[in-house]
mmCIF file of all heavy atoms in Angstrom:
data_model
loop_
_atom_site.group_PDB
_atom_site.id
_atom_site.type_symbol
_atom_site.label_atom_id
_atom_site.label_comp_id
_atom_site.label_asym_id
_atom_site.label_seq_id
_atom_site.Cartn_x
_atom_site.Cartn_y
_atom_site.Cartn_z
ATOM 1 N N PRO B 40 209.471 210.188 123.139
ATOM 2 C CA PRO B 40 210.001 209.532 121.918
ATOM 3 C C PRO B 40 209.435 208.107 121.754
ATOM 4 O O PRO B 40 209.282 207.333 122.688
ATOM 5 C CB PRO B 40 211.511 209.423 122.263
ATOM 6 C CG PRO B 40 211.766 210.626 123.111
ATOM 7 C CD PRO B 40 210.574 210.709 123.981
ATOM 8 N N ASN B 41 208.969 207.881 120.515
ATOM 9 C CA ASN B 41 208.443 206.622 120.136
ATOM 10 C C ASN B 41 207.166 206.204 120.875
ATOM 11 O O ASN B 41 206.906 205.032 121.089
ATOM 12 C CB ASN B 41 209.450 205.493 120.208
ATOM 13 C CG ASN B 41 210.631 205.796 119.336
ATOM 14 O OD1 ASN B 41 210.480 206.107 118.150
ATOM 15 N ND2 ASN B 41 211.938 205.727 119.860
ATOM 16 N N ARG B 42 206.461 207.182 121.333
ATOM 17 C CA ARG B 42 205.194 207.069 122.032
ATOM 18 C C ARG B 42 204.081 207.793 121.427
ATOM 19 O O ARG B 42 204.302 208.787 120.670
ATOM 20 C CB ARG B 42 205.396 207.417 123.502
ATOM 21 C CG ARG B 42 206.520 206.733 124.231
ATOM 22 C CD ARG B 42 206.093 205.295 124.627
ATOM 23 N NE ARG B 42 205.018 205.324 125.633
ATOM 24 C CZ ARG B 42 205.248 205.510 126.930
ATOM 25 N NH1 ARG B 42 206.470 205.640 127.398
ATOM 26 N NH2 ARG B 42 204.175 205.383 127.811
ATOM 27 N N GLY B 43 202.851 207.390 121.752
ATOM 28 C CA GLY B 43 201.714 208.211 121.336
ATOM 29 C C GLY B 43 201.593 209.456 122.258
ATOM 30 O O GLY B 43 202.352 209.674 123.153
ATOM 31 N N LEU B 44 200.525 210.214 121.938
ATOM 32 C CA LEU B 44 200.356 211.442 122.721
ATOM 33 C C LEU B 44 199.632 211.029 124.107
ATOM 34 O O LEU B 44 198.743 210.241 124.110
ATOM 35 C CB LEU B 44 199.454 212.396 121.986
ATOM 36 C CG LEU B 44 200.108 213.306 120.991
ATOM 37 C CD1 LEU B 44 200.733 212.581 119.854
ATOM 38 C CD2 LEU B 44 199.134 214.422 120.500
ATOM 39 N N GLN B 45 200.059 211.711 125.124
ATOM 40 C CA GLN B 45 199.497 211.453 126.415
ATOM 41 C C GLN B 45 198.734 212.713 126.883
ATOM 42 O O GLN B 45 199.246 213.890 126.716
ATOM 43 C CB GLN B 45 200.483 211.181 127.570
ATOM 44 C CG GLN B 45 201.232 209.849 127.266
ATOM 45 C CD GLN B 45 202.193 209.585 128.421
ATOM 46 O OE1 GLN B 45 202.017 209.988 129.562
ATOM 47 N NE2 GLN B 45 203.310 209.005 128.071
ATOM 48 N N PHE B 46 197.462 212.565 127.308
ATOM 49 C CA PHE B 46 196.658 213.709 127.766
ATOM 50 C C PHE B 46 197.195 214.302 129.042
ATOM 51 O O PHE B 46 197.580 213.623 130.009
ATOM 52 C CB PHE B 46 195.261 213.223 128.005
ATOM 53 C CG PHE B 46 194.352 214.182 128.651
ATOM 54 C CD1 PHE B 46 193.860 215.389 128.016
ATOM 55 C CD2 PHE B 46 193.999 214.016 130.002
ATOM 56 C CE1 PHE B 46 193.048 216.202 128.603
ATOM 57 C CE2 PHE B 46 193.138 214.888 130.615
ATOM 58 C CZ PHE B 46 192.637 216.034 129.875
ATOM 59 N N LEU B 47 197.324 215.662 129.061
ATOM 60 C CA LEU B 47 197.741 216.351 130.273
ATOM 61 C C LEU B 47 196.672 217.095 130.947
ATOM 62 O O LEU B 47 196.528 216.912 132.205
ATOM 63 C CB LEU B 47 198.807 217.444 129.864
ATOM 64 C CG LEU B 47 200.286 216.927 129.608
ATOM 65 C CD1 LEU B 47 201.161 218.132 129.187
ATOM 66 C CD2 LEU B 47 200.896 216.260 130.857
ATOM 67 N N LEU B 48 195.926 217.912 130.215
ATOM 68 C CA LEU B 48 194.831 218.714 130.806
ATOM 69 C C LEU B 48 193.899 219.302 129.738
ATOM 70 O O LEU B 48 194.344 219.242 128.590
ATOM 71 C CB LEU B 48 195.459 219.767 131.727
ATOM 72 C CG LEU B 48 196.453 220.672 131.037
ATOM 73 C CD1 LEU B 48 195.813 221.790 130.324
ATOM 74 C CD2 LEU B 48 197.264 221.296 132.244
ATOM 75 N N LYS B 49 192.757 219.802 130.200
ATOM 76 C CA LYS B 49 191.877 220.346 129.198
ATOM 77 C C LYS B 49 191.052 221.471 129.916
ATOM 78 O O LYS B 49 190.871 221.442 131.199
ATOM 79 C CB LYS B 49 190.896 219.358 128.531
ATOM 80 C CG LYS B 49 189.916 218.785 129.518
ATOM 81 C CD LYS B 49 188.971 217.795 128.753
ATOM 82 C CE LYS B 49 187.999 217.105 129.660
ATOM 83 N NZ LYS B 49 187.188 216.056 128.916
ATOM 84 N N TYR B 50 190.697 222.519 129.130
ATOM 85 C CA TYR B 50 189.809 223.535 129.551
ATOM 86 C C TYR B 50 188.551 223.433 128.797
ATOM 87 O O TYR B 50 188.467 223.490 127.521
ATOM 88 C CB TYR B 50 190.409 224.924 129.371
ATOM 89 C CG TYR B 50 189.434 226.012 129.593
ATOM 90 C CD1 TYR B 50 189.218 226.528 130.871
ATOM 91 C CD2 TYR B 50 188.671 226.588 128.556
ATOM 92 C CE1 TYR B 50 188.270 227.445 131.176
ATOM 93 C CE2 TYR B 50 187.799 227.574 128.792
ATOM 94 C CZ TYR B 50 187.540 228.003 130.083
ATOM 95 O OH TYR B 50 186.570 229.007 130.336
ATOM 96 N N ILE B 51 187.356 223.339 129.535
ATOM 97 C CA ILE B 51 186.119 223.266 128.877
ATOM 98 C C ILE B 51 185.321 224.579 129.296
ATOM 99 O O ILE B 51 184.799 225.265 128.377
ATOM 100 C CB ILE B 51 185.332 222.053 129.297
ATOM 101 C CG1 ILE B 51 186.112 220.774 128.969
ATOM 102 C CG2 ILE B 51 183.874 222.036 128.577
ATOM 103 C CD1 ILE B 51 186.489 220.639 127.422
ATOM 104 N N THR B 52 185.292 224.763 130.529
ATOM 105 C CA THR B 52 184.506 225.948 131.079
ATOM 106 C C THR B 52 184.958 226.172 132.508
ATOM 107 O O THR B 52 185.570 225.270 133.108
ATOM 108 C CB THR B 52 183.010 225.836 131.006
ATOM 109 O OG1 THR B 52 182.313 227.055 131.299
ATOM 110 C CG2 THR B 52 182.473 224.720 131.867
#
Side-chain angles (χ1 to χ4, degrees):
Chain B
N41 299 315
R42 302 281 294 276
L44 277 66
Q45 294 180 37
F46 170 72
L47 280 178
L48 51 82
K49 67 181 179 183
Y50 172 82
I51 304 302
T52 188

